Amino acid sequence: MFQGMNKGNFRAFGKPIVNITINDKKIEDWISFQVNWNGLGEVDDFEVEFQWDISDKPRHEFFYSGSKQSSVVVKGKVVVKIEAGFEGEEIVPLIEGEMDYPEWDFSDGETVKIIGRSYAAKPYDFVETVKYQNMTATEAFQKICKTHGLTPVVPIATSDMIGEYVNDDHTSVAEEMSHWDYVLYLAEQEGFVSRIKGKEWYFAPLSMLEDYKKEPLAFSYGHNVRKLKMKKAPNEARNFVVEVISWQPGEKKKKGNRIVEKAVIGNEEGDNVYTIRRNIPNITRAQAQKHLKNICSELTKQQFSGSFETDFFQELTNDRRIVLYGVGMELSQIYHVESVTISGDKESGLECSVKFTNTIEQ
Protein backbone atom coordinates (compact mmCIF):
# COMPACT_ATOMS: atom_id res chain seq x y z
CA MET A 1 0.00 0.00 0.00
CA PHE A 2 2.84 2.41 0.87
CA GLN A 3 5.56 1.01 -1.40
CA GLY A 4 5.33 3.61 -4.16
CA MET A 5 8.25 5.95 -4.76
CA ASN A 6 8.34 9.67 -5.45
CA LYS A 7 5.11 10.54 -3.68
CA GLY A 8 4.63 14.09 -2.46
CA ASN A 9 5.35 17.53 -3.79
CA PHE A 10 8.52 19.51 -4.17
CA ARG A 11 8.65 23.06 -2.91
CA ALA A 12 7.48 25.58 -5.51
CA PHE A 13 10.09 28.00 -6.80
CA GLY A 14 8.34 31.08 -5.46
CA LYS A 15 10.32 33.62 -3.47
CA PRO A 16 10.19 32.89 0.30
CA ILE A 17 8.26 35.46 2.30
CA VAL A 18 8.87 35.92 6.02
CA ASN A 19 6.96 38.52 8.03
CA ILE A 20 8.35 39.25 11.49
CA THR A 21 6.72 41.88 13.67
CA ILE A 22 7.86 43.29 16.99
CA ASN A 23 5.14 45.00 19.04
CA ASP A 24 2.97 45.21 15.89
CA LYS A 25 5.72 46.80 13.76
CA LYS A 26 7.09 44.86 10.80
CA ILE A 27 10.86 44.35 10.86
CA GLU A 28 12.61 43.97 7.50
CA ASP A 29 16.26 43.58 8.53
CA TRP A 30 16.12 40.36 10.58
CA ILE A 31 19.06 37.96 10.26
CA SER A 32 17.61 34.53 11.07
CA PHE A 33 14.79 32.82 12.93
CA GLN A 34 13.74 29.43 14.28
CA VAL A 35 10.30 28.27 15.38
CA ASN A 36 9.81 25.01 17.30
CA TRP A 37 6.38 23.40 17.32
CA ASN A 38 7.03 21.01 20.19
CA GLY A 39 3.94 18.83 20.04
CA LEU A 40 0.90 18.04 22.16
CA GLY A 41 1.34 18.88 25.82
CA GLU A 42 4.39 21.05 25.16
CA VAL A 43 4.92 24.81 24.80
CA ASP A 44 6.10 26.06 21.40
CA ASP A 45 9.06 28.44 21.31
CA PHE A 46 11.04 30.68 18.98
CA GLU A 47 14.19 32.72 18.53
CA VAL A 48 14.89 35.61 16.14
CA GLU A 49 18.24 37.31 15.51
CA PHE A 50 18.70 41.01 14.66
CA GLN A 51 21.52 43.50 14.27
CA TRP A 52 22.23 45.49 17.45
CA ASP A 53 23.53 49.04 17.76
CA ILE A 54 25.56 50.45 20.64
CA SER A 55 24.74 54.03 19.78
CA ASP A 56 22.69 57.09 20.60
CA LYS A 57 21.70 57.20 16.90
CA PRO A 58 20.51 53.64 16.24
CA ARG A 59 19.22 52.26 12.96
CA HIS A 60 16.11 50.92 14.63
CA GLU A 61 14.10 51.90 17.70
CA PHE A 62 13.95 48.35 19.05
CA PHE A 63 17.58 47.23 18.79
CA TYR A 64 20.04 49.51 20.57
CA SER A 65 21.66 50.49 23.83
CA GLY A 66 22.99 54.01 24.15
CA SER A 67 24.64 56.30 26.66
CA LYS A 68 21.33 57.95 27.61
CA GLN A 69 18.72 55.24 27.05
CA SER A 70 18.18 51.77 25.65
CA SER A 71 15.42 50.13 23.64
CA VAL A 72 12.43 48.12 24.86
CA VAL A 73 14.34 44.88 24.25
CA VAL A 74 16.59 45.76 27.22
CA LYS A 75 13.93 46.67 29.73
CA GLY A 76 10.40 46.20 28.40
CA LYS A 77 7.76 43.88 26.96
CA VAL A 78 8.36 42.47 23.49
CA VAL A 79 5.65 40.65 21.52
CA VAL A 80 6.85 38.69 18.48
CA LYS A 81 4.80 37.37 15.59
CA ILE A 82 6.28 35.28 12.76
CA GLU A 83 4.57 34.34 9.48
CA ALA A 84 5.98 32.56 6.44
CA GLY A 85 5.07 31.44 2.94
CA PHE A 86 5.98 32.02 -0.67
CA GLU A 87 5.32 34.76 -3.18
CA GLY A 88 1.93 34.28 -4.79
CA GLU A 89 0.87 31.73 -2.13
CA GLU A 90 -0.72 31.75 1.29
CA ILE A 91 1.28 33.32 4.12
CA VAL A 92 0.63 31.28 7.28
CA PRO A 93 1.20 32.17 10.94
CA LEU A 94 4.02 30.21 12.59
CA ILE A 95 3.99 31.53 16.14
CA GLU A 96 3.01 34.49 18.29
CA GLY A 97 4.16 35.17 21.81
CA GLU A 98 6.22 37.23 24.20
CA MET A 99 9.99 37.43 24.62
CA ASP A 100 11.35 35.55 27.61
CA TYR A 101 14.83 37.07 27.41
CA PRO A 102 17.36 38.53 24.94
CA GLU A 103 20.87 37.22 24.24
CA TRP A 104 23.55 39.55 22.90
CA ASP A 105 26.58 38.40 20.91
CA PHE A 106 29.46 40.86 20.60
CA SER A 107 32.08 38.31 19.51
CA ASP A 108 31.78 39.05 15.79
CA GLY A 109 29.86 42.26 15.31
CA GLU A 110 26.83 43.20 17.39
CA THR A 111 23.66 41.10 17.34
CA VAL A 112 20.78 40.28 19.61
CA LYS A 113 18.70 37.11 19.70
CA ILE A 114 15.16 37.39 21.06
CA ILE A 115 14.09 34.12 22.69
CA GLY A 116 10.50 33.46 23.67
CA ARG A 117 7.50 31.16 23.76
CA SER A 118 3.99 31.04 22.37
CA TYR A 119 1.05 32.31 24.41
CA ALA A 120 1.00 28.88 26.06
CA ALA A 121 3.67 30.38 28.32
CA LYS A 122 0.96 32.35 30.13
CA PRO A 123 -0.90 29.36 31.62
CA TYR A 124 2.40 27.47 31.90
CA ASP A 125 3.86 30.13 34.21
CA PHE A 126 0.65 30.87 36.14
CA VAL A 127 0.50 28.81 39.36
CA GLU A 128 -2.37 28.72 41.85
CA THR A 129 -4.27 26.37 44.14
CA VAL A 130 -6.97 25.14 41.77
CA LYS A 131 -10.55 25.05 43.05
CA TYR A 132 -12.76 23.95 40.18
CA GLN A 133 -14.25 20.72 41.60
CA ASN A 134 -17.82 22.00 41.20
CA MET A 135 -17.36 22.71 37.49
CA THR A 136 -17.14 20.46 34.47
CA ALA A 137 -13.81 20.22 32.66
CA THR A 138 -14.96 22.46 29.82
CA GLU A 139 -16.36 25.07 32.23
CA ALA A 140 -13.07 25.18 34.14
CA PHE A 141 -11.12 25.28 30.88
CA GLN A 142 -13.14 28.22 29.57
CA LYS A 143 -12.60 30.12 32.82
CA ILE A 144 -8.84 29.48 32.64
CA CYS A 145 -8.78 30.67 29.01
CA LYS A 146 -10.46 33.92 30.02
CA THR A 147 -7.81 34.47 32.72
CA HIS A 148 -5.09 34.47 30.08
CA GLY A 149 -6.92 36.28 27.28
CA LEU A 150 -7.09 33.17 25.12
CA THR A 151 -10.01 31.97 22.99
CA PRO A 152 -11.29 28.50 23.98
CA VAL A 153 -11.98 26.04 21.15
CA VAL A 154 -14.25 23.39 22.65
CA PRO A 155 -16.15 21.30 20.06
CA ILE A 156 -17.54 18.97 22.76
CA ALA A 157 -18.84 19.96 26.19
CA THR A 158 -18.08 17.57 29.06
CA SER A 159 -20.71 16.65 31.66
CA ASP A 160 -18.89 15.22 34.72
CA MET A 161 -18.05 17.48 37.62
CA ILE A 162 -14.29 17.58 38.14
CA GLY A 163 -14.76 16.56 41.77
CA GLU A 164 -16.30 13.25 40.69
CA TYR A 165 -13.29 11.86 38.86
CA VAL A 166 -10.89 13.50 41.29
CA ASN A 167 -12.52 11.39 44.01
CA ASP A 168 -12.55 8.28 41.81
CA ASP A 169 -8.82 8.55 41.12
CA HIS A 170 -8.00 9.46 44.73
CA THR A 171 -6.22 12.46 43.28
CA SER A 172 -5.63 15.63 45.25
CA VAL A 173 -5.75 18.88 43.32
CA ALA A 174 -5.82 20.96 46.49
CA GLU A 175 -2.26 21.97 45.82
CA GLU A 176 -0.50 24.56 43.72
CA MET A 177 -0.09 23.73 40.07
CA SER A 178 0.14 25.66 36.83
CA HIS A 179 -2.94 26.25 34.73
CA TRP A 180 -1.12 24.44 31.91
CA ASP A 181 -0.60 21.28 33.97
CA TYR A 182 -4.14 21.43 35.30
CA VAL A 183 -5.64 21.55 31.80
CA LEU A 184 -3.42 18.62 30.79
CA TYR A 185 -4.81 16.73 33.80
CA LEU A 186 -8.37 17.51 32.74
CA ALA A 187 -7.57 16.49 29.16
CA GLU A 188 -6.20 13.15 30.33
CA GLN A 189 -9.35 12.46 32.35
CA GLU A 190 -11.63 13.23 29.42
CA GLY A 191 -9.54 11.59 26.68
CA PHE A 192 -8.83 15.02 25.15
CA VAL A 193 -5.73 16.85 23.98
CA SER A 194 -4.65 20.41 24.73
CA ARG A 195 -3.17 22.63 22.00
CA ILE A 196 -2.50 26.38 21.70
CA LYS A 197 -2.06 28.07 18.32
CA GLY A 198 -1.90 31.83 18.21
CA LYS A 199 -4.48 32.96 20.75
CA GLU A 200 -6.73 29.90 20.38
CA TRP A 201 -6.64 27.06 22.93
CA TYR A 202 -8.03 23.74 21.74
CA PHE A 203 -9.52 21.26 24.24
CA ALA A 204 -11.20 18.20 22.70
CA PRO A 205 -10.41 14.78 21.21
CA LEU A 206 -7.35 14.50 18.98
CA SER A 207 -9.51 13.21 16.13
CA MET A 208 -11.34 16.54 15.96
CA LEU A 209 -8.27 18.67 15.35
CA GLU A 210 -8.82 20.39 12.00
CA ASP A 211 -5.46 19.37 10.52
CA TYR A 212 -5.58 15.86 11.99
CA LYS A 213 -8.77 15.13 10.05
CA LYS A 214 -7.08 15.92 6.71
CA GLU A 215 -5.43 13.38 4.43
CA PRO A 216 -1.83 12.64 5.50
CA LEU A 217 0.85 14.61 3.64
CA ALA A 218 3.04 12.41 1.42
CA PHE A 219 6.83 12.26 1.76
CA SER A 220 9.18 9.87 -0.07
CA TYR A 221 12.73 8.80 0.68
CA GLY A 222 14.99 10.01 -2.13
CA HIS A 223 12.36 12.43 -3.41
CA ASN A 224 11.35 15.27 -1.08
CA VAL A 225 13.06 14.05 2.12
CA ARG A 226 16.65 14.66 3.25
CA LYS A 227 18.69 13.14 6.09
CA LEU A 228 16.07 10.54 6.97
CA LYS A 229 16.77 8.60 10.18
CA MET A 230 14.57 5.92 11.78
CA LYS A 231 14.66 3.62 14.78
CA LYS A 232 12.55 0.89 16.34
CA ALA A 233 11.58 0.64 20.01
CA PRO A 234 9.25 -2.10 21.28
CA ASN A 235 6.31 -0.89 23.33
CA GLU A 236 6.58 -4.15 25.26
CA ALA A 237 9.29 -2.42 27.32
CA ARG A 238 6.79 0.17 28.53
CA ASN A 239 3.83 0.12 30.91
CA PHE A 240 0.31 1.20 29.94
CA VAL A 241 -3.07 1.42 31.65
CA VAL A 242 -5.80 1.60 29.01
CA GLU A 243 -9.41 2.54 29.75
CA VAL A 244 -12.42 2.77 27.45
CA ILE A 245 -15.31 4.67 29.07
CA SER A 246 -18.87 4.95 27.78
CA TRP A 247 -22.17 6.41 28.98
CA GLN A 248 -25.56 7.45 27.67
CA PRO A 249 -25.37 10.97 26.15
CA GLY A 250 -26.93 13.68 28.25
CA GLU A 251 -26.86 11.64 31.45
CA LYS A 252 -24.52 11.49 34.40
CA LYS A 253 -21.75 8.93 34.05
CA LYS A 254 -22.09 7.99 37.72
CA LYS A 255 -25.65 6.62 37.88
CA GLY A 256 -25.42 3.03 36.76
CA ASN A 257 -25.07 3.71 33.04
CA ARG A 258 -21.30 4.14 33.06
CA ILE A 259 -19.21 1.43 31.36
CA VAL A 260 -15.50 1.15 32.08
CA GLU A 261 -13.32 -1.46 30.37
CA LYS A 262 -9.72 -1.52 31.54
CA ALA A 263 -6.55 -3.37 30.56
CA VAL A 264 -2.95 -3.24 31.79
CA ILE A 265 0.01 -3.72 29.47
CA GLY A 266 3.23 -4.40 31.35
CA ASN A 267 3.44 -3.53 35.04
CA GLU A 268 0.86 -1.14 36.48
CA GLU A 269 3.12 -0.59 39.49
CA GLY A 270 6.28 -0.07 37.42
CA ASP A 271 8.08 3.08 36.39
CA ASN A 272 6.86 5.34 33.57
CA VAL A 273 3.26 4.12 33.51
CA TYR A 274 1.25 5.80 30.74
CA THR A 275 -2.53 6.09 31.17
CA ILE A 276 -4.63 6.26 28.02
CA ARG A 277 -8.37 6.95 28.28
CA ARG A 278 -10.90 6.96 25.47
CA ASN A 279 -14.35 8.41 26.15
CA ILE A 280 -16.84 7.00 23.62
CA PRO A 281 -20.50 7.75 24.42
CA ASN A 282 -23.46 5.47 23.69
CA ILE A 283 -21.76 2.12 23.02
CA THR A 284 -22.40 -1.28 24.57
CA ARG A 285 -19.99 -3.12 26.85
CA ALA A 286 -19.15 -5.51 24.00
CA GLN A 287 -18.31 -2.55 21.75
CA ALA A 288 -16.19 -1.02 24.53
CA GLN A 289 -14.29 -4.30 24.85
CA LYS A 290 -13.66 -4.30 21.08
CA HIS A 291 -12.32 -0.72 21.23
CA LEU A 292 -10.10 -1.73 24.14
CA LYS A 293 -8.72 -4.70 22.20
CA ASN A 294 -7.93 -2.51 19.18
CA ILE A 295 -6.12 0.08 21.31
CA CYS A 296 -4.06 -2.60 23.07
CA SER A 297 -3.18 -4.13 19.70
CA GLU A 298 -1.85 -0.78 18.50
CA LEU A 299 0.18 -0.25 21.65
CA THR A 300 1.84 -3.66 21.58
CA LYS A 301 3.02 -3.40 18.00
CA GLN A 302 6.54 -2.25 17.26
CA GLN A 303 7.01 1.49 17.59
CA PHE A 304 8.86 3.22 14.77
CA SER A 305 10.06 6.78 15.03
CA GLY A 306 12.40 9.02 13.11
CA SER A 307 13.28 12.39 11.70
CA PHE A 308 14.00 14.03 8.37
CA GLU A 309 14.63 17.41 6.79
CA THR A 310 12.52 18.84 4.01
CA ASP A 311 11.42 22.10 2.43
CA PHE A 312 8.88 24.33 4.12
CA PHE A 313 5.28 23.45 3.27
CA GLN A 314 2.45 25.63 4.57
CA GLU A 315 0.29 22.50 4.87
CA LEU A 316 2.67 20.77 7.28
CA THR A 317 1.88 21.15 10.99
CA ASN A 318 2.47 18.92 14.00
CA ASP A 319 -1.31 18.36 14.13
CA ARG A 320 -1.28 16.71 10.72
CA ARG A 321 -0.26 13.15 9.94
CA ILE A 322 2.21 12.21 7.22
CA VAL A 323 2.63 9.11 5.08
CA LEU A 324 6.18 7.96 4.34
CA TYR A 325 6.95 6.09 1.12
CA GLY A 326 9.99 4.35 -0.31
CA VAL A 327 11.48 2.69 2.80
CA GLY A 328 10.01 -0.79 2.39
CA MET A 329 7.54 -3.05 4.16
CA GLU A 330 6.45 -1.96 7.67
CA LEU A 331 8.55 1.22 7.60
CA SER A 332 6.46 2.77 4.82
CA GLN A 333 3.27 3.74 6.64
CA ILE A 334 1.26 6.60 8.16
CA TYR A 335 2.97 8.48 10.99
CA HIS A 336 2.04 11.12 13.54
CA VAL A 337 4.14 14.28 13.56
CA GLU A 338 5.70 14.76 17.00
CA SER A 339 7.40 18.11 16.37
CA VAL A 340 8.38 20.50 13.60
CA THR A 341 11.22 23.02 13.50
CA ILE A 342 11.03 25.78 10.89
CA SER A 343 14.09 27.92 10.33
CA GLY A 344 15.20 30.55 7.88
CA ASP A 345 17.73 33.21 7.03
CA LYS A 346 18.11 35.74 4.25
CA GLU A 347 20.55 33.58 2.25
CA SER A 348 19.26 30.00 2.64
CA GLY A 349 15.51 30.55 2.57
CA LEU A 350 13.15 28.31 4.56
CA GLU A 351 13.76 24.80 5.86
CA CYS A 352 11.94 22.27 8.04
CA SER A 353 12.96 19.38 10.23
CA VAL A 354 10.32 16.86 11.30
CA LYS A 355 10.18 14.24 14.06
CA PHE A 356 7.57 11.50 13.68
CA THR A 357 6.28 8.28 15.26
CA ASN A 358 3.68 5.64 14.43
CA THR A 359 2.18 5.80 17.93
CA ILE A 360 1.04 8.84 19.80
CA GLU A 361 0.88 9.50 23.54
CA GLN A 362 -1.90 11.60 24.99
Side-chain angles (χ1 to χ4, degrees):
M1 181 178 178
F2 300 116
Q3 301 309 305
M5 296 289 287
N6 299 335
K7 301 279 187 176
N9 297 325
F10 281 114
R11 177 62 257 152
F13 291 102
K15 177 184 176 183
I17 303 294
V18 177
N19 296 329
I20 297 177
T21 61
I22 302 290
N23 293 354
D24 294 325
K25 292 188 178 181
K26 187 175 178 181
I27 310 298
E28 299 288 353
D29 52 350
W30 53 273
I31 299 173
S32 65
F33 78 91
Q34 179 172 302
V35 172
N36 299 307
W37 293 336
N38 294 315
L40 297 171
E42 302 293 335
V43 177
D44 299 337
D45 60 84
F46 63 86
E47 58 182 49
V48 193
E49 188 175 16
F50 302 95
Q51 292 288 346
W52 186 260
D53 286 334
I54 303 174
S55 172
D56 290 323
K57 295 181 180 180
R59 288 168 289 181
H60 198 284
E61 62 178 304
F62 290 145
F63 311 118
Y64 78 96
S65 51
S67 61
K68 297 179 181 179
Q69 62 181 5
S70 297
S71 71
V72 67
V73 170
V74 178
K75 57 182 180 180
K77 178 180 177 181
V78 174
V79 177
V80 177
K81 185 176 181 180
I82 305 174
E83 302 173 326
F86 293 87
E87 197 170 51
E89 300 183 24
E90 182 184 10
I91 307 300
V92 297
L94 301 185
I95 199 167
E96 183 176 357
E98 295 182 11
M99 176 184 74
D100 283 324
Y101 59 90
E103 282 186 356
W104 290 272
D105 187 348
F106 301 131
S107 59
D108 183 18
E110 293 138 16
T111 62
V112 64
K113 189 176 290 184
I114 292 177
I115 297 169
R117 294 169 291 168
S118 73
Y119 285 125
K122 292 185 175 182
Y124 186 88
D125 293 339
F126 188 96
V127 176
E128 70 168 351
T129 301
V130 291
K131 297 178 181 178
Y132 301 109
Q133 285 87 335
N134 294 324
M135 296 182 180
T136 66
T138 47
E139 289 170 346
F141 172 72
Q142 289 168 333
K143 184 174 181 179
I144 289 171
C145 284
K146 185 176 180 180
T147 299
H148 303 291
L150 299 171
T151 301
V153 179
V154 188
I156 296 178
T158 61
S159 57
D160 271 358
M161 293 298 173
I162 293 170
E164 292 181 9
Y165 51 67
V166 167
N167 293 334
D168 276 359
D169 290 348
H170 306 288
T171 300
S172 173
V173 292
E175 59 184 29
E176 286 194 343
M177 67 170 61
S178 72
H179 278 175
W180 179 258
D181 287 337
Y182 189 65
V183 170
L184 289 179
Y185 167 76
L186 297 179
E188 179 186 359
Q189 298 300 315
E190 296 292 343
F192 287 3
V193 295
S194 170
R195 183 83 173 88
I196 291 180
K197 280 191 172 183
K199 293 184 178 180
E200 293 186 339
W201 196 347
Y202 176 89
F203 183 73
L206 173 68
S207 59
M208 297 187 72
L209 274 171
E210 182 179 351
D211 283 346
Y212 190 84
K213 293 185 290 185
K214 296 178 181 177
E215 287 293 315
L217 284 176
F219 290 92
S220 297
Y221 173 59
H223 178 61
N224 59 352
V225 164
R226 304 182 295 273
K227 298 183 180 180
L228 174 63
K229 296 180 181 180
M230 299 185 69
K231 65 180 180 180
K232 178 181 74 173
N235 262 335
E236 285 86 343
R238 309 168 78 185
N239 304 305
F240 293 92
V241 175
V242 185
E243 293 181 358
V244 174
I245 301 169
S246 185
W247 69 98
Q248 292 296 317
E251 297 185 26
K252 285 285 186 181
K253 302 177 193 177
K254 300 292 181 183
K255 295 186 176 180
N257 64 329
R258 190 173 190 257
I259 296 171
V260 180
E261 290 295 319
K262 178 178 176 180
V264 177
I265 302 172
N267 180 8
E268 188 175 7
E269 304 298 326
D271 296 330
N272 299 320
V273 178
Y274 297 87
T275 300
I276 297 176
R277 289 185 177 89
R278 296 290 185 269
N279 287 269
I280 309 172
N282 201 25
I283 62 173
T284 65
R285 186 171 296 277
Q287 290 171 320
Q289 290 171 347
K290 184 177 180 180
H291 279 285
L292 183 69
K293 182 178 178 181
N294 290 338
I295 294 169
C296 291
S297 176
E298 284 292 305
L299 289 171
T300 54
K301 73 181 182 180
Q302 295 288 344
Q303 179 186 0
F304 297 105
S305 61
S307 63
F308 62 81
E309 294 181 1
T310 186
D311 297 325
F312 172 68
F313 296 91
Q314 294 98 318
E315 303 91 344
L316 177 62
T317 71
N318 57 344
D319 298 339
R320 190 162 181 179
R321 295 168 297 162
I322 63 172
V323 54
L324 185 61
Y325 293 94
V327 286
M329 187 68 68
E330 302 294 338
L331 296 180
S332 294
Q333 59 172 289
I334 293 174
Y335 290 93
H336 304 277
V337 175
E338 288 188 303
S339 63
V340 179
T341 294
I342 304 161
S343 58
D345 60 50
K346 292 295 182 68
E347 295 182 0
S348 302
L350 297 170
E351 294 183 344
C352 266
S353 60
V354 178
K355 292 183 179 179
F356 59 90
T357 179
N358 65 336
T359 62
I360 189 164
E361 294 169 10
Q362 297 187 47

